[in-house]
Structures are given as structure tokens and as C-alpha cells.
Amino acid sequence: MSIGHGGPSDAPGANPPHGTPQPPTPQPHFTPPPPPAPSTGLPPAAPSPGRVPAGPLPPHVAAASPWAAPPPPEGGTGGQGGTSGQGGRPLPPPAPPGAPRPAPAAPVPHHPYSGHPAPPVTSQSPTAQVTPLPAPAPSPDWSALADAAARARRKRLLGIGGGVLATLTVAALVTTAIVSSGTGPADGKNTSLPSPESLPTGPGAPSPSFSPVAPPPPPDPKDFISSADKDKAPLSADTLFPGASLTLENRTYPKGATHRVTDCASGAQGRLGGILNANGCTQLIRATFTKGGAAVTVGVAVFPTEAQALKAKAQVKDGVASLPGSGVPTFCRNGTICRKTANSYGRYAYFTVGGFTDNKRDVTTADKNVFALGDDAAKYTFLRIVERGRAQASAAAATGTTASG
């Protein structure tokens, strides 16, 4: 093959008429495969056709194309001569015999408008890398975690219980060993009791002594006010009704006149006087209390025994006589109707008579103030009699005597 032939002027139709676009002429050279593009994680790009897309180029690209061939030298068309190749490019010198043949150059696309080869077009893949998203973390198994925590807690409790049980077992074993070994005190003294043979049994040996009489029970306060033989405390109007007024549960009633007689009938009205004397009344003590236009007289009849006082109360007729004086006018006299009561405790029987201080009005169930005054006077008298028995029982307990002695 001759060097310098085969230019564009030798091939048929290599010089088409000016202005007529023709497709690029195929080149008989071998085109090596393009080098592999760097991996980007994207699908491979479509192979480049190796040619400039058909269609007119923009005017600024066509006017100043960097791939335009230089003008031919003077005196020739660039298609003849032995030193120029196709398009006026110089051919490389021939390789010496035996030298390795260089690899053919990559084909250069032909520009369809200027008649000169166009620069090769290479396809470039984008260099952006896509990082795949991490896989979502699996959801934890909550029931399995709860079961595992419960098992761990049970193991811990079992371990603590086992330790306590082991400690108690060891302590019990140690205690048993100490007791069974018969270890005594550190000072070596013998603390055991003597045997029955060594105890004294002679007639001069001491023996425990116990009192054959049990201690007496505490005295009953009522015993001291149930009989004149036991009731030895002083008795008068001042001891039964002390002070200038009667006070009970925050209610206060001023005290009027007081009186004491040994002829019990002289201080009673109607048939009550004969009943008192018939049952052995020894004295009658009276006191009057007043409040708000009403007044009440309390009479305490004293008998030698409790049985006599109970009999007099059961036979009661009429009532005790009212006691005016000390600022209290006459009341419950001249036939006016008054409220009367009777009761007893121990050897004392006590009576009340209550009404209005004008000595004119009769008492009815609607007169609550008269009823309240009479009830408070009777209750106060009962409490004073009970207190008399308690005082004498306390004194007897302090001296070691009883009501019978």
C-alpha cells in the first residue's frame, strides 16, 4: 500500500458539490471499545453513536469551530503530495520492519457541513453517587422483653429468699450445737440448781409462808349509806346542800331557805307526815331553790335502814311541805296544784314539790320550767347522797377498815 494516497480527492464522491450535505463516510479503521465508566450505582448509559447529531449548528459554533481544518498550503489543494494524508494532515513515518504495529486511532466523525472531520464525541456518565437508605430497624418484641424481665426478677427473689433461708438454717444449727454442748458461762461458775437430794429437808429448814386470808375487796359506797350503823359521817343541811346555789350541767339555781327537824311529820303535808313517822324517820332536811318565777323544795327523810326508806316511799301520799324564806315567797299552799315527786337511795328517801311563786297558778304539763327545776333538784340530791357513800368508802379503804367493821 502506497503512503500518501487514499485522500479525499481519490475516493469517488469524496468531493461532493458545495452546499450539498452528505452523510459521513465510513472509515475502514478498527474502533477499540471505550473504557468502562466508573460505577455510580445507576443503570449504564446508552452507547454514543460517535457522530454529531444531524441538523445545522448554531452560527457562532460554525463560524469559530475549533475543529475546522487549517487552510491548505499555497500551490496545492491538500489532496496531492506524499507527506499529507487525508484532509492535508501529515502522515506518520513508516514503522521499521519487525516493530509492533500501533493500535489504530479512534475514528473521527466527519463534519457534514465543512468537509472536515469533527472532534470525537464521548459519552460521559454523571458522577453523582446515590447512597441507598438504611433498612428500617425491626420493632422490638415487647412481650418477650417483659417475660425476660419477669424471669430475672423471680430469679433475684429466689436468690434473696434462698440466702435468708440459708442464714436462718446456719443460725439454728449453731444454736443447737451450743445448747447441746452444755457450754456454761465464761467465768466457770456453776449455775445449775442443786439436786433434790442436796436440798434441806430437816425440821429446821425454812418453808414458804402464805397468808390464809385473802385481801378484802374494796368497800362498796352504798354499804355506808344503807344503814345508820355504817353511815357515821356528819349529816346536816349544809353537808347535803352546800353553797349558795345548785349547779348541775351548767344550769344554776339560787338557794333559798334550808331547814332540819327531827319530827318528820312537821315538815310534811297531808298523810305523808304519818307515813314518815310510822316507818321510823329520824330527821327531815329541806332546802328551796328558785328560778324565773318558779320554786321547788327538796325534803330528805332519813331512816335507820334501807328497808324502812323503801317502805316509806312505797306508801307515800301527798307530799313534803314547801319552804318559803330567804327571798322566796310562799308557794304551793292554799290549795294550788303543784308537781310532786318521791324516790329513795340507801336509807334516804327524798321528795320534791314545785310550783309558781305567786301561789295562784296551777302547774300543768305545759309548764316545762317547773318540771325542769324539780327534775334538776331531785337529781342533784341523789348525786349528793351517792357522794356521801363514796367519801366514807374511800376513807375506810385508806385506813384498812370495812363497812362491817
Side-chain angles (χ1 to χ4, degrees), residues 155-168:
K155 290 181 179 179
R156 184 166 59 254
L157 293 177
L158 288 176
I160 294 173
V164 173
L165 182 60
T167 302
L168 294 177

Side-chain angles (χ1 to χ4, degrees), residues 34 36 63 65 71 112 197-198 203 226 228 235 238 260 290 307 312 336 364:
S65 176
E197 293 78 7
S198 61
S226 297
L235 180 61
D238 291 334
R260 174 184 175 271
T290 181
T336 57
T364 65

